């Protein structure tokens, strides 16, 4: 598929065929592409938890899902995904990397960072997974784990303290789903969001 077509077709898919697992070679490609994301100082401070077994996926939903809140319809389709990948950011990897001699910082202070690149870079990796899924003829959705559920998620999967989940990605073969009401807002035109030369 042409890259422009991959970008055009990318959308958050919230309903999957539960009887069609993601082939192992495709899972490998998703992860191989994810680790090709850019990272500050080539720190590569990420970690990916791959959940393919039904029991693992069910444990994820039990740990990461808050009760109620009108999410039942959304979750019904999402729970059918045969693959969940949870990308994690490791801040310490970046602070350690930038304290190395070639970077010139003598300490691990976060004050020098204009933004927390450990989250930015892990987000890049997640986006590469989303685009790879489209290129492979699959659907995918990136979504957040509610803050009040992070502790339960960590405990359920033994996630080390230095790794912070930035969200989760469901992947699978798409089946018809409902359109997000947010799409009624429409896509903002390029001319509305781009400034050339200066802002005003």
């Amino acid at each position: 598929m042409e890259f422009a077509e991959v970008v055009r077709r990318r959308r958050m898919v919230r309903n999957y065929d539960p009887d069609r697992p993601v082939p192992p070679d495709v899972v490998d490609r998703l992860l191989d592409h994810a680790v090709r994301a850019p990272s500050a100082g080539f720190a590569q401070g990420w970690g990916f938890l791959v959940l393919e077994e039904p029991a693992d996926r069910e444990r994820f939903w039990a740990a990461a899902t808050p009760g109620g809140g009108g999410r039942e319809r959304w979750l019904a389709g999402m729970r059918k995904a045969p693959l969940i990948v949870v990308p994690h950011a490791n801040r310490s990897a970046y602070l350690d990397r930038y304290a190395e001699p070639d970077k010139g910082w003598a300490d691990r202070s976060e004050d020098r960072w204009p933004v927390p690149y450990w989250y930015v870079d892990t987000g890049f990796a997640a986006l590469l997974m989303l685009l790879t899924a489209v290129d492979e003829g699959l659907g995918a959705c990136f979504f957040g784990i509610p803050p009040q559920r992070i502790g339960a998620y960590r405990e359920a999967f033994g996630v080390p303290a230095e790794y912070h989940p930035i969200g989760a990605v469901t992947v699978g073969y798409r089946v018809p789903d409902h359109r997000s009401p947010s799409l009624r807002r429409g896509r903002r035109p390029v001319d509305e969001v781009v400034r050339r030369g200066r802002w005003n």
Side-chain angles (χ1 to χ4, degrees):
M1 191 181 303
E2 292 291 326
F3 181 70
E5 184 69 5
V6 169
V7 172
R8 191 186 69 76
R9 288 187 181 196
R10 195 226 46 85
R11 65 172 290 244
M12 297 302 186
V13 172
R14 296 174 176 85
N15 196 19
Y16 304 92
D17 183 343
D19 300 320
R20 292 183 70 189
V22 178
D25 59 319
V26 174
V27 176
D28 290 345
R29 270 193 296 282
L30 286 167
L31 298 167
D32 183 56
H33 291 177
V35 300
R36 297 194 65 80
S39 67
F42 210 40
Q44 304 169 76
W46 43 54
F48 304 91
L49 178 63
V50 179
L51 306 173
E52 298 174 275
E53 296 299 320
D56 292 333
R57 296 192 316 263
E58 186 52 43
R59 189 163 14 116
F60 171 83
W61 293 115
T65 306
R71 297 178 177 88
E72 291 75 17
R73 183 172 79 159
W74 179 80
L75 282 172
M78 293 288 280
R79 283 178 179 267
K80 295 178 188 174
L83 172 65
I84 303 169
V85 180
V86 185
H88 299 76
N90 182 346
R91 175 183 60 191
S92 291
Y94 287 77
L95 300 182
D96 290 346
R97 172 68 184 102
Y98 275 77
E100 292 177 15
D102 66 313
K103 289 300 178 187
W105 297 352
D107 59 33
R108 298 176 75 251
S109 174
E110 292 183 45
D111 295 340
R112 292 179 178 82
W113 292 85
V115 295
Y117 275 86
W118 39 95
Y119 297 136
V120 173
D121 293 349
T122 307
F124 287 155
L127 179 58
L128 287 178
M129 284 191 284
L130 295 175
L131 294 175
T132 301
V134 173
D135 194 47
E136 295 286 345
L138 298 166
C141 184
F142 177 87
F143 60 98
I145 298 173
Q148 69 271 25
R149 303 303 300 170
I150 297 289
Y153 162 76
R154 284 185 180 284
E155 184 176 340
F157 293 99
V159 177
E162 66 268 22
Y163 285 92
H164 184 80
I166 67 154
V169 180
T170 50
V171 184
Y173 289 93
R174 177 181 173 184
V175 295
D177 62 353
H178 64 280
R179 287 175 57 85
S180 168
S182 298
L183 293 175
R184 292 189 200 117
R185 297 168 53 91
R187 191 174 307 282
R188 293 177 68 188
V190 171
D191 290 346
E192 190 177 299
V193 297
V194 172
R195 309 292 186 272
R196 298 182 189 274
R198 60 183 286 130
W199 197 266
N200 53 14

